[in-house]
Amino acid sequence: MKWTVIGYWGAYPEKGEATSAYLLEQDGFQCLIDCGSGALSRLQRFVDVKGLDAVVLSHYHQDHIADIGVLQYSWLVQNSLHRTNDKLTIYGHGEDETGFSALTHQFTEGIAYQYDDTLEIGPFQFTFQRTTHPVPCFAIRISNGKQEIVYTADSSFDQKLVRFSSDADLLISECSFYHGQDAAKAGHMTSAQCGRLAASANVKQLLLTHLPHFGDRQDLVTEARQQFEGSIQLAYEGWTWQG
């Protein structure tokens, strides 16, 4: 199981980069987790857009889904050029009718998941946990039967996330604010809360993502390390974990 960071900024992308987007791979199966602004451009450094087998979305805020329309057009164009009729499956929650309905296009099909669903997607098993965020949003736990990855998506600190993340090999945690700031008001976490989540859940490794556009981001690692003694890293394009 391989996890590659494609985009990692919160809200909007820095120049030449992307917001939330991650590539999950195993045995030739390629799944995109979230598809934020700039994601399609950056994704093509790693895979062909028609090489994707599935997309899974955490929620419908633009920094997580802005390039879905662009991805749909890419499949339309490529199918036309190659005279194929391939379809891409996009999984998203059904609690936002407008957001979910946009997932189905000429060559993409939206499939709804619920918070208590277990989905078999390629070689992976996906489970979901509702997060604490201004709109319906779901953390995602991914297993290949040997390793476990948890992606918090967007959330303020919540004990349910501790249970959901328990003993994960890799925790990818949103880290939108620095210690001492009021992250909960916006439905996000601080660096220290990310560290606390990792420690309480007994995870092996912590990746900080959904990063802020201000401050010295190395301070996020320092602050998280006050709570968690395990491996902590900042996300960047191309960062890879392989179980």
Side-chain angles (χ1 to χ4, degrees):
M1 179 158 56
K2 181 179 179 183
W3 180 278
T4 303
V5 174
I6 306 299
Y8 58 93
W9 291 105
Y12 66 93
E14 292 279 336
K15 181 172 64 176
E17 296 181 310
T19 60
S20 296
Y22 309 90
L23 182 64
L24 176 69
E25 301 173 272
Q26 182 172 308
D27 301 331
F29 191 89
Q30 298 179 140
C31 179
L32 186 65
I33 311 296
D34 281 343
C35 187
S37 179
L40 200 69
S41 172
R42 309 314 300 170
L43 177 67
Q44 291 174 89
R45 294 187 59 233
F46 302 91
V47 296
D48 186 278
V49 292
K50 280 293 295 299
L52 289 177
D53 296 288
V55 179
V56 181
L57 303 176
S58 62
H59 66 302
Y60 302 115
H61 271 161
Q62 289 298 314
D63 55 339
H64 294 255
I65 56 94
D67 268 20
I68 285 294
V70 182
L71 177 61
Q72 290 169 327
Y73 276 129
S74 75
W75 275 63
L76 187 155
V77 170
Q78 290 299 314
N79 272 322
S80 175
L81 291 173
H82 297 287
R83 299 183 180 182
T84 53
N85 290 291
D86 300 329
K87 273 206 168 186
L88 176 65
T89 302
I90 305 176
Y91 297 85
H93 70 72
E95 297 190 19
D96 178 334
E97 185 177 342
T98 301
F100 176 72
S101 65
L103 304 184
T104 297
H105 195 257
Q106 186 173 352
F107 294 109
T108 62
E109 178 184 8
I111 295 181
Y113 64 77
Q114 306 298 326
Y115 77 94
D116 57 351
D117 279 348
T118 297
L119 298 182
E120 303 291 338
I121 304 175
F124 307 109
Q125 182 182 79
F126 283 71
T127 53
F128 304 91
Q129 172 65 59
R130 185 188 301 276
T131 71
T132 304
H133 199 55
V135 300
C137 178
F138 292 85
I140 302 170
R141 187 171 184 123
I142 305 157
S143 173
N144 68 351
K146 297 179 180 179
Q147 290 92 27
E148 307 270 347
I149 293 175
V150 173
Y151 168 50
T152 67
D154 287 5
S155 183
S156 56
F157 185 86
D158 191 321
Q159 285 296 330
K160 294 193 298 291
L161 275 180
V162 174
R163 295 190 293 273
F164 188 69
S165 306
S166 178
D167 298 320
D169 295 283
L170 174 65
L171 173 65
I172 301 105
S173 180
E174 74 115 280
C175 187
S176 302
F177 290 89
Y178 294 84
H179 178 55
Q181 295 183 309
D182 186 1
K185 183 178 180 180
H188 291 294
M189 280 189 278
T190 68
S191 50
Q193 289 171 328
C194 295
R196 177 182 165 197
L197 172 61
S200 299
N202 192 40
V203 306
K204 294 182 176 64
Q205 186 170 349
L206 172 62
L207 178 69
L208 303 178
T209 192
H210 202 274
L211 302 181
H213 296 271
F214 57 91
D216 182 347
R217 283 173 288 275
Q218 286 299 324
D219 288 343
L220 298 170
V221 176
T222 301
E223 293 165 356
R225 193 165 283 133
Q226 299 302 309
Q227 303 292 325
F228 178 60
E229 296 180 352
S231 173
I232 306 174
Q233 292 177 279
L234 279 180
Y236 58 85
E237 183 182 308
W239 185 94
T240 300
W241 178 91
Q242 196 151 0

